[in-house]
Amino acid sequence: MIDNSNPDKDLGLLQKTFLVFLSLFLVVSLFFFRSGFKANAMLDQLAKNSLEPDIALSNGKPTVFEFYADWCEACKEMAPDMLDAEKLNSKKIDIVLLNVDNPRWFDLIDKYDVNGIPQLTFFDDKGEFKGFSLGVRKSIELNEIFFALINNDELPSFSKLSNSSNLISKNNLKELNDNIRLEGPRVHS
């Protein structure tokens, strides 16, 4: 005997609704996980290509330290642009990724006063500090910075850009530190 019952009647409205939401959840989860894994893979690739900090600072090329963390969404956002910039300038500049969660780098985190990530710290071809940037930098900004480092020019200023932090050069840092020391955090005018 053949069962002629309608299979749609076997599932109730609640079950159908649940299956629809479950399907949507799985699709959205897959999309986010795939994007997150891709960004983590880019960070891992940059980290694997990194030289040791002391070697990078002493090999005659300008150097960029990127302080990052695997869990940092801003770091993941910047990873594709950083990877592109690294590929374009790999023979002219060294990029060193330093994971802030790795105790091995705590001395450098302290030395370069890393208070947020991603932080890019810039050095000239003699390994001398040139400045730093806190926050996400887009491809065009990274290329301008790298161009300035490679040509030993003054670092560009990005104060006009609304969603980027200012780039702090060595000269600006001295002025900023002098003002902080003069006024102090508790002085109110």
Side-chain angles (χ1 to χ4, degrees):
M1 177 169 222
I2 299 175
D3 184 13
N4 289 335
S5 64
N6 190 346
D8 288 336
K9 290 183 182 177
D10 291 342
L11 293 178
L13 182 61
L14 184 61
Q15 291 171 323
K16 289 178 187 176
T17 305
F18 173 75
L19 287 175
V20 168
F21 282 118
L22 180 64
S23 299
L24 289 172
F25 174 76
L26 291 173
V27 168
V28 169
S29 297
L30 182 60
F31 174 76
F32 282 116
F33 280 125
R34 199 172 110 210
S35 297
F37 289 138
K38 184 177 178 183
N40 280 345
M42 288 180 185
L43 284 171
D44 289 343
Q45 182 180 353
L46 282 164
K48 283 180 188 175
N49 292 340
S50 292
L51 293 174
E52 290 293 315
D54 55 338
I55 294 171
L57 291 174
S58 64
N59 70 0
K61 291 183 192 177
T63 300
V64 176
F65 286 176
E66 179 182 351
F67 293 93
Y68 78 101
D70 293 328
W71 48 263
C72 169
E73 292 302 319
C75 301
K76 291 177 189 178
E77 178 185 334
M78 191 169 72
D81 291 334
M82 189 60 125
L83 190 60
D84 289 343
E86 190 262 344
K87 285 179 184 175
L88 283 172
N89 299 290
S90 64
K91 301 222 184 306
K92 301 173 193 165
I93 199 164
D94 290 322
I95 298 173
V96 178
L97 262 68
L98 303 166
N99 190 328
V100 297
D101 292 329
N102 186 338
R104 180 178 179 197
W105 308 125
F106 286 173
D107 60 333
L108 294 174
I109 291 166
D110 287 339
K111 182 176 182 176
Y112 297 110
D113 197 26
V114 177
N115 291 314
I117 53 176
Q119 178 174 313
L120 303 176
T121 305
F122 310 110
F123 304 89
D124 64 14
D125 57 357
K126 296 173 188 74
E128 293 182 23
F129 176 80
K130 296 261 311 189
F132 72 94
S133 168
L134 182 60
V136 175
R137 291 284 168 201
K138 298 297 182 191
S139 183
I140 192 163
E141 295 171 314
L142 290 170
N143 287 323
E144 286 181 44
I145 293 166
F146 288 7
F147 184 79
L149 287 170
I150 291 166
N151 292 307
N152 204 22
D153 291 338
E154 187 70 28
L155 291 173
S157 171
F158 297 111
S159 60
K160 292 175 248 162
L161 302 175
S162 61
N163 59 355
S164 295
S165 65
N166 286 335
L167 189 95
I168 307 297
S169 69
K170 187 177 179 180
N171 297 336
N172 295 12
L173 184 63
K174 181 183 180 331
E175 185 178 308
L176 183 65
N177 285 338
D178 288 345
N179 288 339
I180 291 169
R181 274 189 223 107
L182 290 173
E183 294 178 8
R186 295 201 167 124
V187 173
H188 301 284
S189 302

